[in-house]
Amino acid sequence: EFQLMESGGGLVQPGRSLRLSCAASGFTFDDYAMHWVRQAPGKGLEWVSGISWNSNNIAYADSVKGRFTISRDNAKNSLYLQMNSLRPEDTALYYCARDPSTGAGPFDYWGQGTLVTVSS
Amino acid sequence: QSALTQPASVSGSPGQSITISCTGTSSDIGNYNLISWYQHHPGKAPKLLIYEVRKRPSGISNRFSGSKSGNTASLTISGLQAEDEADYYCCSYADSSPVVFGGGTRLIVL
């Protein structure tokens, strides 16, 4: 069965960094583009970043560009999100999602999410 | 990267049909067929219901259907059931960003 499991969330002070991980299992990881999508408390879904299967194509939402870096290690079946210069508005549940297409969705499987709280 | 526009909430009684609209622009919905819909029960992972405007993934009930006209996409749920009560999100490819979501619609089953 397909599984995506996020980890690495937690409470962090504004301006600090955090690295999220997403471990994939049950499918051929390098056949798929992958994305991070977040949901702030009481808000809707917001796409954060996406990466192609071979890491050649990477994109970011304007709200995180220059602060967040997406990466993947196909040998470890893992997706990452390095988050620097964190702001209170980055507080959200962060999901990783699988993309069977070219990197613009759809997202056919999602993890359960990892919670990031940015607060002093 | 403006969000697509969805109604905040819709409601219907069991057995009825409802439609959720998703309005964008010629830079996203109007110019591309990479439109998808997701069902999200709080505390659970979002689920893909529709992709490429009207296609259903394996295992998704044919009570869920998608369509598009101009800059507006729509999700129709027929034969409403109690378990359909959830948040629904549209999503589209966009010129300004690979992906843009709608603001979400809360479906209330009366």
Side-chain angles (χ1 to χ4, degrees):
Chain A
E1 181 166 345
F2 307 136
Q3 190 168 19
L4 295 170
M5 185 171 298
E6 302 92 340
S7 61
L11 174 62
V12 61
Q13 293 179 326
R16 302 297 292 264
S17 299
L18 208 57
R19 189 194 195 207
L20 304 184
S21 299
C22 171
S25 60
F27 64 96
T28 304
F29 184 65
D30 55 12
D31 277 350
Y32 295 86
M34 296 294 296
H35 298 260
W36 290 98
V37 178
R38 68 185 181 184
Q39 184 175 34
K43 303 291 186 181
L45 299 175
E46 179 190 16
W47 176 80
V48 173
S49 181
I51 186 169
S52 61
W53 69 273
N54 59 2
S55 304
N56 282 354
N57 291 294
I58 287 174
Y60 299 97
D62 287 346
S63 57
V64 307
K65 201 171 291 182
R67 299 187 299 122
F68 290 11
T69 301
I70 191 171
S71 62
R72 63 189 294 163
D73 184 337
N74 288 343
K76 295 183 177 179
N77 292 339
S78 293
L79 174 73
Y80 306 101
L81 186 68
Q82 178 67 42
M83 304 186 296
N84 298 333
S85 303
L86 281 162
R87 305 167 179 169
E89 55 264 36
D90 295 318
T91 294
L93 186 61
Y94 284 73
Y95 296 99
C96 66
R98 190 182 84 163
D99 175 1
S101 188
T102 57
F107 311 123
D108 64 350
Y109 284 98
W110 300 59
Q112 294 293 326
T114 186
L115 182 62
V116 173
T117 303
V118 184
S119 174
S120 54
Chain B
Q1 295 169 338
S2 301
L4 307 174
T5 301
Q6 297 180 233
S9 66
V10 298
S11 62
S13 299
Q16 287 186 331
S17 295
I18 63 94
T19 296
I20 298 171
S21 62
C22 173
T23 302
T25 68
S26 58
S27 296
D28 39 64
I29 290 176
N31 205 28
Y32 302 100
N33 287 330
L34 292 176
I35 298 160
S36 50
W37 289 90
Y38 302 86
Q39 178 190 62
H40 190 200
H41 287 103
K44 293 194 170 184
K47 178 194 283 189
L48 175 65
L49 297 176
I50 298 287
Y51 67 101
E52 293 178 11
V53 178
R54 63 183 73 250
K55 296 179 181 178
R56 279 189 309 274
S58 173
I60 298 300
S61 170
N62 59 9
R63 296 189 301 108
F64 296 93
S65 61
S67 63
K68 186 184 94 166
S69 177
N71 295 336
T72 299
S74 298
L75 173 71
T76 298
I77 308 173
S78 59
L80 268 181
Q81 300 177 0
E83 56 263 37
D84 296 333
E85 185 160 294
D87 297 323
Y88 291 83
Y89 293 89
C90 61
C91 182
S92 175
Y93 178 84
D95 288 341
S96 60
S97 165
V99 179
V100 61
F101 280 96
T105 298
R106 173 67 55 89
L107 170 59
I108 300 166
V109 180
L110 303 171

